[in-house]
């Protein structure tokens, strides 16, 4: 897959070829401008490759984008939240019926949001305020993960999603992801390499290309010479 932005002669993605299996936990890192954001936009179907195709189960995602996007949850650093209750931020307009209630409870438990909710006087009816102002960064991420579980997203794309969190909260989120490792496909993009410690494979982005996967121990050695953020 290659991609060049309009009126640009530079390939933001340059001949990338990659196979991702269900249940993989992959990590990508690299400097700003290396192509990480473009890769996300192409994966989400927001950009169509200039050359090549992205296939899901052998089918070009652009032949049915709606179905493809139904499999994906995108978790950026700033989570999209509405000024409504915790419940509505997870449901996003879906009606609560008998089966839905059980699925909602399971999603809250799996995202480790239940302990926090139990401390709130209004529980799931607690309003989050504009853009979730009443929540911490870690709590916002847990709401987003609960939302992904509830809507049965099979692929989680993490775009610097823990970079603004303190180390303790980041570790808690990573441990949460480890609990679903092998069950969901996780694609984690980060400039902070400690976030990628438990990935099955880690790829380095350079000038629109990805290098061969690197082991985390070798990545730590590379960080010492390339001044990467740990």
């Amino acid at each position: 897959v290659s991609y060049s932005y309009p009126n640009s002669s530079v390939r933001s993605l340059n001949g990338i070829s990659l196979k991702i299996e269900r249940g993989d936990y992959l990590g990508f890192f690299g400097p700003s401008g290396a192509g990480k954001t473009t890769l996300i936009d192409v994966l989400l179907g927001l950009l169509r490759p200039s050359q090549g195709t992205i296939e899901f189960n052998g089918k070009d995602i652009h032949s049915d984008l709606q179905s493809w996007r139904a499999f994906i949850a995108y978790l950026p650093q700033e989570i999209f939240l509405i000024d409504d209750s915790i419940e509505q931020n997870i449901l996003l307009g879906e009606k609560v019926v008998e089966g839905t209630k059980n699925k909602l409870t399971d999603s809250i438990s799996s995202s480790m949001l239940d302990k926090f909710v139990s401390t709130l006087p209004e529980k799931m009816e607690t309003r989050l305020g504009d853009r979730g102002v009443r929540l911490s960064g870690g709590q916002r991420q847990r709401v987003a993960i609960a939302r992904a579980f509830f809507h049965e997203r099979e692929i989680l794309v993490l775009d610097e999603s823990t970079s603004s969190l303190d180390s303790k909260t980041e570790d808690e989120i990573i441990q949460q992801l480890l609990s679903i490792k092998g069950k969901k496909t996780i694609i984690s993009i980060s400039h902070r390499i400690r976030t990628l410690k438990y990935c099955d494979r880690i790829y380095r982005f350079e000038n629109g290309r990805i290098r061969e996967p690197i082991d985390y121990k070798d990545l730590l050695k590379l960080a010492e010479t390339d001044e990467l953020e740990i």
Side-chain angles (χ1 to χ4, degrees), residues 75-77 79-81 86 89-90 104 106-117 124 128 135-150 156 158 161-162 165-177:
L75 282 69
Q77 183 176 334
I79 298 298
F80 167 73
L81 296 172
I86 294 176
N89 269 279
I90 295 173
L104 180 61
D106 290 343
S107 300
I108 294 166
S109 176
S110 297
S111 63
M112 301 180 189
L113 192 61
D114 48 350
K115 291 182 181 179
F116 168 66
V117 170
M124 290 295 290
L128 304 186
L135 299 182
S136 68
Q139 289 159 356
R140 292 190 196 106
Q141 291 294 337
R142 287 189 176 92
V143 169
I145 293 172
R147 180 191 293 165
F149 290 165
F150 177 80
L156 306 184
L158 313 178
S161 57
T162 62
L165 305 180
D166 60 80
S167 297
K168 180 177 182 297
T169 305
E170 182 180 44
D171 287 340
E172 290 174 353
I173 296 295
I174 291 173
Q175 289 302 314
Q176 185 177 340
L177 293 173

Side-chain angles (χ1 to χ4, degrees), residues 35-131:
K36 302 189 301 297
T37 299
T38 306
L39 175 66
I40 291 173
D41 289 344
V42 168
L43 275 176
L44 296 178
L46 300 175
L47 299 175
R48 184 186 287 269
S50 304
Q51 294 179 3
T53 59
I54 296 180
E55 297 182 352
F56 177 58
N57 291 338
K59 185 177 180 180
D60 188 340
I61 63 170
H62 286 276
S63 65
D64 189 356
L65 270 178
Q66 186 174 356
S67 295
W68 165 241
R69 288 172 178 164
F71 279 90
I72 298 180
Y74 175 54
L75 282 69
Q77 183 176 334
E78 294 295 329
I79 298 298
F80 167 73
L81 296 172
I82 56 177
D83 186 5
D84 208 324
S85 66
I86 294 176
E87 181 174 286
Q88 286 305 313
N89 269 279
I90 295 173
L91 296 178
L92 289 182
E94 187 165 325
K95 300 293 183 181
V96 178
V97 295
E98 185 176 347
T100 301
K101 202 66 179 178
N102 292 333
K103 189 165 67 166
L104 180 61
T105 300
D106 290 343
S107 300
I108 294 166
S109 176
S110 297
S111 63
M112 301 180 189
L113 192 61
D114 48 350
K115 291 182 181 179
F116 168 66
V117 170
S118 68
T119 66
L120 302 173
E122 297 180 80
K123 303 298 189 283
M124 290 295 290
E125 295 304 316
T126 302
R127 296 186 71 91
L128 304 186
D130 185 35
R131 291 181 293 181

Side-chain angles (χ1 to χ4, degrees), residues 210-225:
I210 53 173
R211 291 190 170 187
E212 291 298 312
I214 185 172
D215 181 82
Y216 184 71
K217 292 181 180 179
D218 292 331
L219 182 55
L220 289 177
K221 295 177 183 178
L222 184 65
E224 297 175 1
T225 57

